[in-house]
Amino acid sequence: AFCKKMHSCKFHLIFSQGYSYGEADTPQMCFNPAKSWSLGWYPEQQESLVVTGPREFTMVGVVDYDKSETDKRVVVRIENSEGQDFFIGYNRKKGFNSGTKEAENMVTVVTSNSGYSSSTLVAKLDKGDEYQLTSNYENTGKALIVRFSDYSSPLSIDEAIVNVFFADCDPNDGCGDQPSESPVSGPAPDECKSNEGRFTLELMPDNFPGETSYELIENSIGTKMMASQGSLKAGTIK
């Protein structure tokens, strides 16, 4: 079922599970994580990733979607080249999702192919529960686990703390943590940060290399990242 106030929207989704109801205006409930991803309604609070190490997410229900809180997630998509992707959400029962009939206030895991396709609910997690997504994620030979670890506050159940990790690196055992006394080092000179990509600049001057120069500027902050040094020589590539 979908959020009832969206009467004017046109949906192109394939429904694979759920209940059938005779009431015209009830129950009030929303799409599962895979359908929410396909609809693209929560762009500031959704994330797609290939897991390479332990990750922790603060997840909120669709009712608490707030585009200004970009550190929180309504939907997390775990990409899986060996099969269907995994979609994780927190089915918070309140507001316009107060009529949900399954997995109330639980973290849910749904599998689905890319695009508009059917989806399957594979896990419903209470606080402390975990679920093995796959025994051999991306041919690493490692099992990938999702865990509903806790709530972000002892005074509210509006935010769920969800951990995704490999079975041989459990955050509960301190795996992935940085020792507090050790400085946090940056990437090695030949490595890129997780939000960066590598590129190569090739420049072949014309017959007047002394008139050629270049600068590389980071637009978001206006910082000069690199520039030509001295006069270029004919036939060289920088």
Side-chain angles (χ1 to χ4, degrees), residues 62-233:
V62 294
V63 176
D64 292 315
Y65 166 62
D66 184 342
K67 63 182 180 181
S68 68
E69 296 184 325
T70 56
D71 58 328
K72 298 174 183 177
R73 298 288 176 263
V74 171
V75 185
V76 172
R77 173 192 181 193
I78 306 297
E79 299 175 27
N80 178 27
S81 63
E82 300 300 314
Q84 293 186 318
D85 292 339
F86 302 97
F87 296 84
I88 304 170
Y90 179 40
N91 191 33
R92 180 72 174 97
K93 181 180 180 178
K94 74 175 196 178
F96 56 73
N97 196 44
S98 61
T100 184
K101 297 294 185 179
E102 187 175 11
E104 302 169 8
N105 298 318
M106 301 175 77
V107 169
T108 59
V109 181
V110 174
T111 58
S112 180
N113 292 315
S114 300
Y116 302 116
S117 64
S118 61
S119 59
T120 303
L121 176 66
V122 296
K124 300 179 290 185
L125 307 179
D126 275 319
K127 176 184 172 182
D129 290 345
E130 61 184 46
Y131 174 75
Q132 179 176 294
L133 299 174
T134 175
S135 61
N136 182 22
Y137 181 67
E138 297 294 295
N139 290 317
T140 60
K142 299 179 180 180
L144 188 64
I145 309 295
V146 57
R147 176 188 294 147
F148 180 1
S149 298
D150 205 347
Y151 299 107
S152 64
S153 169
L155 303 178
S156 173
I157 63 171
D158 283 344
E159 298 179 358
I161 303 300
V162 175
N163 290 97
V164 177
F165 57 95
F166 291 112
D168 64 350
C169 189
D170 191 331
N172 283 353
D173 299 329
C175 184
D177 292 343
Q178 291 287 339
S180 58
E181 66 274 12
S182 299
V184 178
S185 59
D190 292 331
E191 296 179 350
C192 294
K193 297 179 181 178
S194 60
N195 63 341
E196 296 177 340
R198 183 179 300 279
F199 79 98
T200 301
L201 171 66
E202 295 183 351
L203 176 63
M204 178 68 73
D206 58 14
N207 293 331
F208 305 93
E211 299 176 2
T212 303
S213 64
Y214 65 85
E215 292 182 343
L216 181 63
I217 305 295
E218 171 57 68
N219 286 334
S220 63
I221 56 178
T223 299
K224 183 187 296 185
M225 307 302 292
M226 61 182 296
S228 53
Q229 301 293 325
S231 298
L232 301 181
K233 296 180 181 180

